[in-house]
């Protein structure tokens, strides 16, 4: 079997040959496979974030120094099951140094934005691929209040900084 054929079969785990092979695995092996698949999925979404941030940074006017890192803060979203915390689809800071900028809000004034307006603003202004990747990362590894997601462009590393 060619690698491409195997990859195609693995994308459909309910199909006959894959389903039968999965039934033969011991629970411990099946758990290891699931953990490995989740890790690979998370890394793939991280690379989407990196590529979209690189494209964003390349389009920014600058002083000649390339961006080293981009930072994303958290945002609360209302969903059918209640409020949940995710990554904002907008770059909070783009830095040309290794130093982490101060991302604390300067003021604590809160302005209520109707759900429809917030969703519309995200739809119009956010990069859809970046937003999807950030949503997937938040689902795989939920952020906490005050966390920051750092995208280090030279190393392509995406890390969560907890404060």
């Amino acid at each position: 079997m060619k690698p491409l054929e195997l990859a195609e079969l693995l994308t459909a785990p309910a199909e006959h040959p894959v389903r039968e092979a999965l039934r033969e695995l011991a629970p411990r092996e099946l758990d290891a496979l699931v953990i490995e698949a989740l890790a690979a999925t998370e890394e793939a979404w991280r690379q989407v974030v990196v590529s979209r941030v690189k494209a964003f940074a390349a389009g920014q006017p600058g002083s000649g120094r390339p961006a080293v890192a981009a930072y994303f803060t958290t945002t609360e979203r209302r969903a059918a099951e209640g409020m949940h915390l995710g990554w904002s689809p907008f770059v909070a800071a783009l830095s040309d140094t290794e130093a982490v900028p101060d991302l604390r809000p300067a003021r604590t004034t809160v302005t209520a934005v109707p759900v429809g307006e917030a969703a519309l603003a995200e739809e119009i202004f956010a990069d859809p691929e970046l937003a999807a990747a950030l949503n997937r990362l938040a689902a795989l590894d939920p952020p906490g209040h005050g966390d920051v997601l750092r995208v280090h462009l030279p190393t392509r590393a995406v890390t969560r900084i907890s404060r």
Side-chain angles (χ1 to χ4, degrees), residues 19 39 57 80 93 101-102 108 114 129 132 141 146 159:
R19 184 180 61 229
D102 183 7
T108 56
E129 288 181 57
D141 185 17
T159 53

Side-chain angles (χ1 to χ4, degrees), residues 90 119-127:
F90 302 104
L120 182 63
E122 187 174 313
E123 187 177 313
I124 293 171
F125 298 111
D127 177 335

